[in-house]
Amino acid sequence: MRALLLGRFQPFHRGHASVAEYALDRYGELVIAIGSARQSYSFINPFTGGERALMTHRATQKFSDRVAMVPVPDINRYGLYPHHVADLCPPFDVVLSNKPLIREIFTAAGYHIEDTPEYERERYSGTIIRHKMAHGDEGWRDLVTSSVESIIDDVDGAERVRQLYESEQ
């Protein structure tokens, strides 16, 4: 079976990595759809689609023969979005999501939805990581894999997040 995991991955963190491993153990194959693929350089979406694809690829590299990554740009039409995702991705049997909107629109489109375990959600959150970066708290490094940390450092991502946060206040 092949599962779909959809997210913005801003950035890809240890919680995402745990869900990916869970999905691979349970379903065998995984499609990671990188949502809002064209959005970048804002506090909520600081990293580019390419940077997020690289983060995701490196964080799941040991499973690379069973993981496909697909950038998915927004279309801002919820009723069409599940079909848009399906058109861009390899076929999938189940959609993994705990988000009410994703569950609702994919269910309405006829897809099977399953919850994922939440791995310390109060700790592993892109919002929390971005806030730590914005405030100069190096604790964000403990929340991502070393491969993701390296990519963020390579693009001076923490400084980018800090500047974006300040400019949007």
Side-chain angles (χ1 to χ4, degrees), residues 14 25 27 39 56 72-74 102 112 159:
R14 291 184 185 276
D25 286 346
Y27 303 103
Q39 302 297 316
T56 305
V72 178
D74 292 336
I102 296 299
H112 178 68
E159 178 61 16

Side-chain angles (χ1 to χ4, degrees), residues 17-131:
S18 294
V19 171
E21 287 189 38
Y22 162 84
L24 287 163
D25 286 346
R26 182 168 173 124
Y27 303 103
E29 292 184 55
L30 179 63
V31 176
I32 299 176
I34 300 172
S36 300
R38 293 184 184 148
Q39 302 297 316
S40 61
Y41 287 88
S42 68
F43 180 68
I44 193 168
N45 292 305
F47 301 104
T48 68
E51 290 164 348
R52 291 179 282 144
L54 186 58
M55 289 177 201
T56 305
H57 170 73
R58 295 257 176 91
T60 61
Q61 195 162 16
K62 66 182 176 181
F63 309 109
S64 63
D65 61 326
R66 299 187 294 142
V67 175
M69 276 176 295
V70 179
V72 178
D74 292 336
I75 59 169
N76 301 316
R77 303 233 1 237
Y78 291 135
L80 299 177
Y81 191 69
H83 307 290
H84 172 65
V85 171
D87 184 52
L88 295 172
C89 292
F92 51 88
D93 304 294
V94 60
V95 177
L96 303 176
S97 184
N98 297 331
K99 297 189 184 251
L101 176 61
I102 296 299
R103 294 180 65 78
E104 182 177 337
I105 64 177
F106 276 85
T107 298
Y111 290 94
H112 178 68
I113 311 292
E114 290 189 14
D115 289 333
T116 63
E118 292 193 352
Y119 297 93
E120 297 182 59
R121 181 71 175 127
E122 65 286 345
R123 181 174 185 210
Y124 296 115
S125 155
T127 301
I128 290 169
I129 292 168
R130 292 189 307 275
H131 276 280

